[in-house]
């Protein structure tokens, strides 16, 4: 993998690091393409059950490279989006280890993950309006779905920047992680490992279902959507094995 996008496998968890610290991991067209390729490669690797996304310190991702952004028009913008949109569409569970500033397109990269953990130096900063540019890449949609309309408006319209603790209170981050920047990556790997240890097809099916049910308006329809994949999972040998192991533990008490 190219030096500006690193992939490390820790058991069943792939850690993808945007690695251009001199530019605070700003997204160029080429870097976004390599990030997208890395996500696809991980999704196609049967050994990988979950993905952690992070940035090389001191930043998580400072957004789009300003030179690339200044020269971009529609096609260029779509190429900048490619990296975080690949994360958003990844079929595997994804965790963002936000170990520094997540600005503009970097905020989009964090929002594209299923779960975000925030290190002590994390900053969540929309910044589009301060640069004189309209938000893009689906930021307004992602942000409102995660934090609600009021906090999204505060960030997107009024320039509100959230630190780690504020992000947790707003629901933008699951939890804050103290310690050095690597600590939040380690915490993200531990969280992701739980999903990676489950049967891979079951995890993929569950994430697909969650995407479907998140768009539904009523409980009965959700019950029906879940029923068929749940029945299929009960026919999987992994279910029988785990059920037998659980019964053995209970009877041995």
């Amino acid at each position: 993998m190219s030096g500006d996008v690193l992939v490390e496998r820790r058991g069943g968890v792939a850690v993808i690091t945007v690695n251009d610290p001199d530019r605070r991991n700003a997204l160029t067209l080429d870097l976004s393409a390599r990030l997208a390729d890395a996500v696809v490669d991980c999704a196609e690797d049967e050994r990988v059950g979950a993905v952690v996304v992070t940035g090389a310190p001191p930043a998580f991702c400072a957004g789009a490279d300003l030179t690339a952004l200044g020269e971009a028009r529609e096609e260029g913008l779509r190429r900048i989006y490619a990296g975080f949109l690949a994360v958003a569409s990844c079929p595997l569970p994804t965790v963002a280890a936000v170990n520094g500033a997540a600005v503009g397109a970097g905020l989009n990269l964090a929002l594209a993950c299923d779960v975000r953990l925030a290190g002590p130096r994390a900053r969540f900063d929309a910044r589009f309006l301060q640069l004189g540019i309209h938000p893009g890449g689906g930021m307004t949609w992602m942000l409102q779905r995660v934090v609600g309309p009021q906090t999204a408006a505060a960030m997107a319209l009024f320039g509100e920047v959230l630190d780690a603790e504020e992000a947790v209170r707003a629901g933008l981050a699951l939890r804050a992680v103290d310690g050095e920047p690597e600590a939040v990556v380690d915490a993200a790997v531990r969280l992701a490992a739980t999903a990676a240890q489950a049967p891979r097809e079951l995890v993929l099916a569950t994430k697909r279902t969650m995407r479907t049910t998140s768009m539904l308006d009523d409980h009965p329809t959700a019950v029906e959507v879940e029923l068929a994949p749940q029945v299929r999972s009960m026919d999987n040998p992994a279910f029988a094995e785990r059920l037998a192991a659980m019964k053995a533990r209970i009877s041995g008490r």
Side-chain angles (χ1 to χ4, degrees), residues 3 8 30 38 52-53 64 73 75 96 120 134 138 152-153 165 183 196 228 233:
E8 173 194 4
D30 289 342
V52 169
V53 178
R73 290 298 180 264
E75 183 57 34
H134 192 283
E165 296 295 342
S233 71

Side-chain angles (χ1 to χ4, degrees), residues 140-163:
T140 59
W141 182 83
M142 291 190 291
L143 191 59
Q144 290 186 91
R145 285 169 64 87
V146 171
V147 301
Q150 179 169 251
T151 300
M155 294 178 69
L157 297 174
F158 300 107
E160 189 86 356
V161 178
L162 304 187
D163 63 19

Side-chain angles (χ1 to χ4, degrees), residues 61-158:
C61 176
D65 176 84
L66 293 181
T67 299
L69 188 61
E71 297 173 352
R73 290 298 180 264
E74 182 174 338
E75 183 57 34
L77 290 171
R78 290 184 184 278
R79 290 174 62 189
I80 291 172
Y81 302 161
F84 62 77
L85 291 182
V87 175
S89 61
C90 182
L92 295 170
T94 54
V95 182
V98 184
N99 54 342
V103 181
L107 174 60
N108 285 355
L109 179 58
L111 287 167
C113 292
D114 298 316
V115 173
R116 287 152 294 281
L117 301 185
R121 299 177 187 173
R123 296 291 183 274
F124 299 86
D125 183 355
R127 192 145 339 157
F128 285 95
L129 265 62
Q130 286 81 354
L131 290 175
I133 186 173
H134 192 283
M139 190 275 283
T140 59
W141 182 83
M142 291 190 291
L143 191 59
Q144 290 186 91
R145 285 169 64 87
V146 171
V147 301
Q150 179 169 251
T151 300
M155 294 178 69
L157 297 174
F158 300 107

